[in-house]
């Protein structure tokens, strides 16, 4: 598999993004959804902002307050033994093992480009938390275009859980909110770009507690807003690069051979790579073939070093003939771009390794 | 609150149910959905059957094989330290803490009565596992009647997770399967018996892993098959009888004051009681009032002793004027019946304790 990483990578870094919140710094501009609109390539960036702390013994946690429509910042002492600070992204309650706070607040912001490589970034948010189910922020958007409507969906994070919220726009200025379409715990939804057999389809990634793993499911909808007929689609593979966690990545790509989904997988060391799976063109609930090895794994400096090291995580790609331009978040910090041959990815897939 | 337990309680016990599987014993006939059909009162029983073990050092685990359409039985030695047998219902993997097997297989079976107190039980299953997402069985049915159609929904359990499946019937003979309507991890769905403002509504109970608790959410649907606009409705209360886990119970009851939902709550000792919550008649996403104390808690011998002790767990009630007949599972073993005054339940609710 030939992977052509762009020499200008990373194409967007936190330094390029002006903080929106006073007293905050931008620590991530990553995991962007991708759209083509009005002659431009748009990245719907996940921007993560962190309250600046002058005291190295203090960790700060920002929380959006939906009633007051402002962000509160809470201080935590690093020597407070009730909390676990080992993951830089979160503050965990040691007694429950659960997430108690995030160390940054994410929202969505637009980056615009003519050539897909050089971007200018809007000064203000595009989609910002709006209710109590988004109090810890919104993350990892994907964009599916259908006709003139762009459906944008992302993880909404709060103490109530993590679910997937849908909004839509026709002009990337005003948005219509459609509420939470997948209840907690769920992430990594991708909506197929057209109806199949009269129904809309989505991949989604539940995270069950009592039994089951973070694996990829498929669901159906008459209207994109309401989802049913949930079925388990494919799972983790022991000892593999996708042994711990998998989830949908780019919007499924229609090919003659089937729907090609570029998905992410994490291994036991939380190293995130990208692989591919081919789904039946007329029944995407059937897996035809799957990557034995990743098509992209963290190797470049900006992928193996960063806010959360060893991560490549795509939320979108552009396809033109045989050329796939894969936009991806690197190390939960920056955006990067790599080019693939669609035919080479399809050729690399193995049949019968998707159990 | 006056509670009139029937003197004949329990009204159905496992001994009254003939095993369906050869070499199995019935250990539970409980958590039944309730319907009125053709002049009879029907209980859609959850029947749990366990493989008979002659060796006290062996625990057996039944698994439905969807391809072969038969049940396999696996043997586990009690001295096998890889597994935790402390909960009689499940075999847990010590390394992950997750469920590995169930010790019984549940399916649905009909019990029929003219007076609602004396039941005759069908000899064969009514709804039986049918696919790989039901390999550990189907559990805790509820029944919502709309016109001549009875919607029956239940938890489908497998290693892939626990989700909620919907079927429907008009005659309690043939059923139509509608697939999984709430993806893992989810249980304790109740469908409202009519449209409200042009939409169907359901309460559901996700169990998120990373953040959030097993609490009650509400969702909307155009067709009962596809669900969206998920919102968190009400949560656990620290130090209370519903501090650890809550979930919908009986189908919501329409009253002049609002929708009355009789729900279950478990405390830190896994003691299951029943309480009530009142939801806005025109917007069931609004909580008006909630029980401070349970309306029913495990006290009778058949509630405090049994397969899983200290449980009262209702999946359905009959309402006639002011009289509520609450059918409920006792100790994960038998069915019991208690009578309440609707007005007394409504009077007992407190405003402002539902946070």
């Amino acid at each position: 598999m030939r992977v052509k990483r762009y020499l200008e990578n990373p194409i967007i870094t936190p330094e390029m993004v002006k903080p929106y919140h006073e007293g905050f710094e931008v620590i991530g501009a990553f995991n962007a959804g991708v759209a083509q609109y009005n002659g431009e390539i748009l990245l719907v960036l996940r921007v993560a902002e962190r309250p600046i702390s002058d005291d190295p013994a203090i960790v700060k946690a920002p929380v959006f307050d939906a009633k007051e429509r402002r962000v509160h910042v809470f201080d935590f002492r690093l020597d407070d033994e009730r909390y676990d600070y080992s993951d830089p992204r979160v503050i965990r309650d040691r007694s429950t093992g659960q997430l108690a706070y995030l160390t940054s607040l994410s929202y969505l912001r637009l980056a615009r480009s003519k050539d897909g490589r050089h971007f200018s970034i809007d000064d203000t948010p595009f989609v910002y938390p709006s209710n109590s189910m988004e109090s810890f922020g919104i993350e990892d958007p994907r964009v599916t275009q259908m006709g003139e409507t762009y459906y944008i969906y992302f993880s909404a994070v709060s103490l109530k859980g993590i679910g997937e919220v849908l909004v839509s726009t026709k002009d990337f200025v005003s948005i219509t909110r459609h509420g939470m379409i997948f209840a907690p715990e769920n992430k990594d939804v991708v909506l197929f770009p057209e109806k199949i057999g009269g129904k809309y389809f989505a991949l989604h990634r539940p995270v069950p507690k009592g039994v089951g793993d973070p694996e990829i499911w498929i669901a159906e909808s008459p209207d994109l807003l309401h989802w049913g007929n949930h079925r388990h689609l494919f799972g983790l593979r022991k000892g593999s690069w996708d042994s711990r966690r998998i989830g949908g990545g780019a919007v499924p790509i229609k090919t003659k051979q089937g729907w090609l989904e570029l998905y992410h997988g994490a291994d036991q060391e939380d190293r995130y790579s990208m692989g591919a799976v081919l789904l039946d063109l007329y029944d995407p609930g059937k897996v035809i073939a799957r990557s034995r090895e990743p098509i992209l794994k963290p190797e470049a400096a900006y992928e193996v070093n960063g806010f959360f090291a060893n991560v490549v995580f795509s939320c979108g790609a552009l396809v033109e003939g045989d050329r796939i331009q894969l936009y991806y978040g690197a190390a939960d910090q920056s955006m990067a771009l790599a080019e693939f041959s669609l035919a080479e990815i399809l050729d690399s897939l193995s049949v019968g390794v998707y159990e």
Side-chain angles (χ1 to χ4, degrees), chain A:
Chain A
M1 174 77 53
R2 288 176 303 167
V3 182
K4 192 172 136 194
R5 283 178 174 83
Y6 274 72
L7 294 176
E8 301 96 323
N9 275 348
I11 56 170
I12 295 176
T13 62
E15 294 72 32
M16 293 166 64
V17 185
K18 195 176 136 190
Y20 173 66
H21 302 93
E22 214 182 303
F24 281 57
E25 58 189 338
V26 174
I27 59 165
F30 62 119
N31 297 4
V34 184
Q36 285 178 292
Y37 171 71
N38 210 9
E40 288 190 316
I41 291 162
L42 300 183
L43 291 183
V44 181
L45 285 174
R46 170 179 171 189
V47 170
E49 296 196 11
R50 179 169 69 182
I52 296 170
S53 176
D54 299 323
D55 182 347
I58 299 283
V59 175
K60 290 177 179 287
V63 179
F64 172 73
D65 182 322
K67 278 178 196 155
E68 297 185 15
R69 308 208 69 73
R70 58 177 287 251
V71 174
H72 297 287
V73 176
F74 298 95
D75 284 6
F76 291 84
R77 291 196 57 86
L78 273 175
D79 58 9
D80 186 338
E81 293 187 346
R82 289 173 301 174
Y83 298 100
D84 173 0
Y85 305 95
S86 59
D87 183 332
R89 302 170 298 182
V90 302
I91 300 172
R92 271 185 212 288
D93 183 326
R94 281 194 195 276
S95 67
T96 63
Q98 281 202 337
L99 186 159
Y101 289 90
L102 298 188
T103 55
S104 63
L105 184 78
S106 289
Y107 59 86
L108 311 186
R109 201 145 148 182
L110 292 178
R112 303 163 190 273
S113 175
K114 291 284 182 199
D115 65 4
R117 294 156 74 161
H118 302 91
F119 284 85
S120 65
I121 297 159
D122 282 7
D123 277 344
T124 53
F126 170 51
V127 185
Y128 192 80
S130 66
N131 62 61
S132 64
M133 293 193 299
E134 301 173 347
S135 62
F136 285 179
I138 57 180
E139 305 181 350
D140 302 346
R142 276 81 170 176
V143 186
T144 299
Q145 181 181 356
M146 296 198 211
E148 292 185 353
T149 305
Y150 296 81
Y151 293 93
I152 303 169
Y153 39 102
F154 45 81
S155 303
V157 186
S158 80
L159 280 183
K160 302 300 181 203
I162 304 171
E164 192 85 3
V165 165
L166 176 68
V167 305
S168 64
T169 187
K170 286 182 190 290
D171 58 10
F172 286 92
V173 176
S174 67
I175 61 167
T176 306
R177 294 184 187 270
H178 303 290
M180 186 175 279
I181 54 171
F182 289 91
E185 185 164 335
N186 214 310
K187 275 185 176 180
D188 300 322
V189 171
V190 292
L191 303 183
F192 287 69
E194 59 185 66
K195 281 189 173 182
I196 302 164
K199 288 175 287 194
Y200 294 108
F201 283 84
L203 305 181
H204 62 102
R205 204 285 302 276
V207 187
K209 183 173 186 179
V211 59
D213 291 308
E215 300 186 325
I216 294 180
W217 289 59
I218 190 165
E220 301 173 8
S221 175
D223 57 10
L224 295 169
L225 310 189
H226 306 88
W227 293 88
N229 200 19
H230 299 278
R231 288 170 289 160
H232 181 269
L233 189 59
F234 63 98
L236 306 179
R237 292 182 294 193
K238 273 194 183 172
S240 174
W241 59 276
D242 50 3
S243 62
R244 184 175 193 169
R245 196 179 291 117
I246 53 176
V251 172
I253 298 162
K254 194 177 189 179
T255 75
K256 281 180 188 162
Q257 288 87 335
W259 290 99
L260 181 68
E261 170 59 15
L262 306 180
Y263 72 95
H264 68 262
D267 65 14
Q268 299 302 314
E269 279 72 47
D270 264 345
R271 186 173 191 249
Y272 281 76
S273 302
M274 295 296 303
V277 66
L278 188 67
L279 308 176
D280 190 278
L281 207 50
Y282 305 103
D283 175 7
K286 270 192 204 159
V287 176
I288 298 171
R290 182 172 169 187
S291 296
R292 175 86 62 184
E293 297 300 326
I295 62 164
L296 182 71
K297 54 189 175 184
E299 289 174 322
Y302 48 88
E303 297 162 356
V304 298
N305 302 309
F307 182 66
F308 194 81
N310 291 311
V311 173
V312 296
F313 188 102
S314 177
C315 295
L318 294 179
V319 185
E320 220 185 310
D322 183 57
R323 182 167 167 246
I324 295 185
Q325 291 187 84
L326 187 73
Y327 290 89
Y328 62 97
D332 275 15
Q333 184 168 317
S334 304
M335 282 302 297
L337 178 54
E339 197 174 304
F340 296 85
S341 152
L342 176 57
E344 278 187 28
I345 293 179
L346 288 171
D347 284 349
S348 75
L349 302 181
S350 305
V351 173
V353 295
Y354 48 78
E355 291 293 335

